[in-house]
Amino acid sequence: MNLQTKIRSTKVTADPSLSFSLPGWAYLDPEILELEKREIFYKSWQYAGWVGDLKAPGDYITAELIDQSVIIIRGQDGELKGFHNVCQHRGHQLLAGCGKVAAITCPYHAWVYRLDGALRNARGAERTAGFDAGAFSLRPVNVEVLADKLVFFNLDMNATPLADFAGKMVDDIRRDIPDFDKLVKVQKRPPPPDDGMNMFPVEANWKIVMDNFLECYHCRNAHPGFSEDLIMDTYRTTAHGVWSKQRGNTRRADGGEVMFWSLFPNHTFSTSTGGNPHFSVQIFAVPDGHARTQFGHSDRYRLPGDEDGEVFRPDWGPLGIEDKDICESVHKGLSSMGYDAGRFIYDHEHGETSEEAVHLFHRLIVEALGI
Ligand code: FES
Ligand SMILES: [Fe+2]
């Protein structure tokens, strides 16, 4: 049986109340990761940065996706353009980090590309028989700006436009964060937390890390700090096509709520209400081989001038370590000869026990891989 047929044979079905979960082997086979790279990651929208960092012609950012690297740059015509970050001569990477350039010059033999990707100069090419500069333009990637703020790329030039893919989620975010359009990226990167909130790297398949993010059925058991801060009876999970949302009221004096959105396949967005407006984007799970997961690029957004403003840091205890331990145990458990596939707990009220967002994630995986 080839892999696609095998994926189609799983018992992940449309109705979350009847569906089984993905079987253990779907998390453990390195060939599945290769299929996921081709059919999911290289065809999905991935966050790269803030549009405010790309104001003038020549402003650029670079972004990574597993083993791929891209450049996103403001062209002379004012449009954002995306390119694979690779020189068409002999393959050196062109740009790193972010900055501003008048033209894209390769650090290896100094081929020069215009901001529209066309090869402008290749020293000595005039003496090379039949050299056609037009055949050596940088290869394009798809770029779109979500909500006039968040720059995404997609290696698939035929991908569904991001505005269509994620537009309804943005409407929902704007409803919950009335000041969303005013928020700007916080340029100062915070030091990595050393309070147990960081779970990465995780020695587990990336889908286990996403599964675990997508439900709070485990929160009362596994996260005493988190479930003390929240009124768990108010926790709600809803699934909406390609995105899902979790929200819950806190016990804090300001009466705020926490909210987490997730966009297929691997992005999360978060905020809390009651304090200063803020919003974070995270590429939450990036496969580093089939049995290890890293955190990807993330940015925080605040009101202009509020960079150093008061941020309420909830005391959720070592939540990251708690999740890391869970995911690593599940990775081992899924390879047990004593496990096949489970069922989802589906709560029609979308309450704290509901695993409908995990079900949605599994269904989208099967749809993407089983073609
Ligand atoms: S690899 Fe870029 S100029 Fe040679
Ligand atoms: Fe958790």
Side-chain angles (χ1 to χ4, degrees), residues 11-226:
K11 290 182 275 183
V12 179
T13 54
D15 183 346
S17 62
L18 300 173
S19 176
F20 285 76
S21 58
L22 278 174
W25 56 259
Y27 295 83
L28 302 167
D29 184 342
E31 282 185 48
I32 296 269
L33 178 63
E34 292 308 309
L35 193 60
E36 287 169 342
K37 278 158 75 172
R38 286 200 305 278
E39 298 300 334
I40 296 176
F41 288 102
Y42 299 161
K43 294 181 177 176
S44 70
W45 288 100
Q46 296 285 318
Y47 175 71
W50 179 43
V51 74
D53 288 333
L54 296 165
K55 286 201 185 93
D59 286 348
Y60 74 87
I61 56 178
T62 57
E64 315 300 318
L65 171 60
I66 311 177
D67 53 358
Q68 302 296 306
S69 178
V70 304
I71 299 167
I72 298 168
I73 194 161
R74 181 74 66 185
Q76 289 297 353
D77 58 2
E79 298 293 318
L80 278 187
K81 310 191 189 296
F83 304 109
H84 288 274
N85 188 7
V86 60
C87 181
Q88 299 300 299
H89 176 218
R90 284 193 14 240
H92 198 284
Q93 204 162 68
L94 292 165
L95 294 174
C98 56
K100 186 183 187 67
V101 289
I104 301 170
T105 303
C106 178
Y108 196 1
H109 314 92
W111 280 25
V112 181
Y113 301 85
R114 290 204 305 255
L115 301 185
D116 64 2
L119 178 61
R120 192 179 80 189
N121 185 41
R123 193 165 54 93
E126 62 283 358
R127 293 186 299 279
T128 302
F131 186 86
D132 174 12
F136 293 97
S137 298
L138 298 181
R139 306 274 173 90
V141 304
N142 218 339
V143 174
E144 252 190 75
V145 182
L146 188 64
D148 305 318
K149 193 186 303 292
L150 312 173
V151 180
F152 280 72
F153 68 94
N154 195 320
L155 302 183
D156 179 3
M157 296 302 287
N158 299 314
T160 303
L162 179 61
D164 298 340
F165 188 71
K168 291 215 165 67
M169 183 188 76
V170 169
D171 294 344
D172 194 72
I173 289 171
R174 281 189 164 125
R175 261 194 301 275
D176 280 322
I177 311 176
D179 286 320
F180 180 77
D181 289 326
K182 295 187 203 145
L183 302 182
V184 296
K185 193 183 103 177
V186 177
Q187 298 290 352
K188 221 167 48 182
R189 299 196 75 78
D194 57 0
D195 54 2
M197 285 296 283
N198 174 27
M199 68 186 286
F200 298 96
V202 184
E203 304 304 325
N205 181 264
W206 74 278
K207 297 192 293 302
I208 296 172
V209 174
M210 288 308 298
D211 288 351
N212 180 61
F213 180 88
L214 290 168
E215 49 89 357
C216 214
Y217 182 29
H218 70 279
C219 291
R220 278 192 205 247
N221 250 3
H223 300 312
F226 181 84

